[in-house]
Amino acid sequence: EAEVAQSPRYKITEKSQAVAFWCDPISGHATLYWYRQILGQGPELLVQFQDESVVDDSQLPKDRFSAERLKGVDSTLKIQPAELGDSAMYLCASSWGQSEQYFGPGTRLTVT
Amino acid sequence: GQQVMQIPQYQHVQEGEDFTTYCNSSTTLSNIQWYKQRPGGHPVFLIQLVKSGEVKKQKRLTFQFGEAKKNSSLHITATQTTDVGTYFCAVSGGYNKLIFGAGTRLAVHP
């Protein structure tokens, strides 16, 4: 069964450093999502792509976070500089139209 | 913006007991989805409800959508240790966008 791939699975970084996460959605899924999940809470949408275009980035802290999906396939989420409060699980998901979302295994970020 | 309240936050049951989690909205929902996240895992889609009063079953899981489409429930009959995890409801926040509830964490003791 096709899966959403994410890397790295774990990342430890010092505050003020840059960090990047990668996501490869299920083939054919035009919509790609990046979520942040703090322990004990539900996933919170950071950015949503339809093909290569950003559809929603209203909750993305744009002073330090950036996301791109240049060819409308895989995507990168970057944080620069990282802050202690950015420690969380970063989940990527993809979907085909207005259907269920398929999540990747996530990247657990720890900022020290 | 759209918000959804999920209760309870946490439920601890003995294996074999039933479990129910509720999701409530102040506004009418177009649809609602349910996801399960195992400890250390990622959310996995369970079901989508669209119609008013809809009831769907998956083995021991029963999902309901309220008549007014403002609430939903997930009921598990005779819980098993494999049911452990956090159950999230998610509602539409716009074009393909989902807003997740805070989740109900289920612990099952054998």
Side-chain angles (χ1 to χ4, degrees):
Chain A
E1 184 176 301
E3 296 180 340
V4 175
Q6 286 189 250
S7 67
R9 294 291 306 276
Y10 304 92
K11 180 70 178 179
I12 300 174
T13 191
E14 293 182 348
K15 64 180 181 179
S16 80
Q17 296 298 304
V19 63
F21 314 130
W22 177 80
C23 172
D24 191 12
I26 292 173
S27 178
H29 281 190
T31 312
L32 184 148
Y33 314 80
W34 282 103
Y35 289 90
R36 177 170 58 190
Q37 185 176 28
I38 296 169
L39 196 63
Q41 298 182 17
E44 176 194 22
L45 181 69
L46 291 176
V47 62
Q48 176 182 339
F49 288 93
Q50 181 68 26
D51 298 310
E52 66 275 8
S53 300
V54 173
V55 175
D56 189 323
D57 62 357
S58 57
Q59 299 303 310
L60 188 71
K62 298 181 187 63
D63 57 334
R64 298 185 299 107
F65 285 64
S66 64
E68 60 183 15
R69 193 184 183 197
L70 292 176
K71 297 182 179 179
V73 181
D74 59 338
S75 175
T76 302
L77 177 69
K78 297 179 181 177
I79 307 175
Q80 182 173 20
E83 296 180 354
L84 295 177
D86 296 331
S87 294
M89 175 74 84
Y90 290 82
L91 293 161
C92 178
S94 68
S95 71
W96 187 83
Q98 295 190 37
S99 61
E100 66 264 32
Q101 296 185 14
Y102 293 82
F103 284 80
T107 297
R108 181 163 296 284
L109 173 67
T110 301
V111 182
T112 62
Chain B
Q2 178 66 268
Q3 286 190 336
V4 60
M5 298 298 295
Q6 203 171 342
I7 54 172
Q9 283 188 311
Y10 178 75
Q11 183 105 38
H12 170 190
V13 300
Q14 290 295 127
E15 190 172 19
E17 292 181 338
D18 291 357
F19 159 78
T20 304
T21 174
Y22 301 89
C23 193
N24 299 300
S25 170
S26 59
T27 60
T28 303
L29 303 170
S30 56
N31 60 71
I32 192 164
Q33 297 183 7
W34 286 91
Y35 291 77
K36 177 184 178 180
Q37 185 171 21
R38 294 182 187 274
H42 56 276
V44 174
F45 173 81
L46 294 176
I47 208 159
Q48 175 170 281
L49 304 174
V50 178
K51 299 177 182 177
S52 168
E54 189 170 15
V55 178
K56 288 189 176 180
K57 293 188 176 183
Q58 291 179 350
K59 297 182 180 178
R60 295 177 295 103
L61 277 61
T62 301
F63 302 85
Q64 290 190 321
F65 203 7
E67 293 289 343
K69 299 182 73 173
K70 289 185 176 182
N71 56 74
S72 181
S73 65
L74 158 59
H75 179 83
I76 302 178
T77 303
T79 55
Q80 300 176 358
T81 54
T82 54
D83 295 324
V84 165
T86 301
Y87 293 85
F88 294 99
C89 62
V91 301
S92 176
Y95 182 73
N96 287 6
K97 175 180 178 177
L98 285 180
I99 297 172
F100 283 79
T104 295
R105 189 157 65 96
L106 173 63
V108 180
H109 284 251

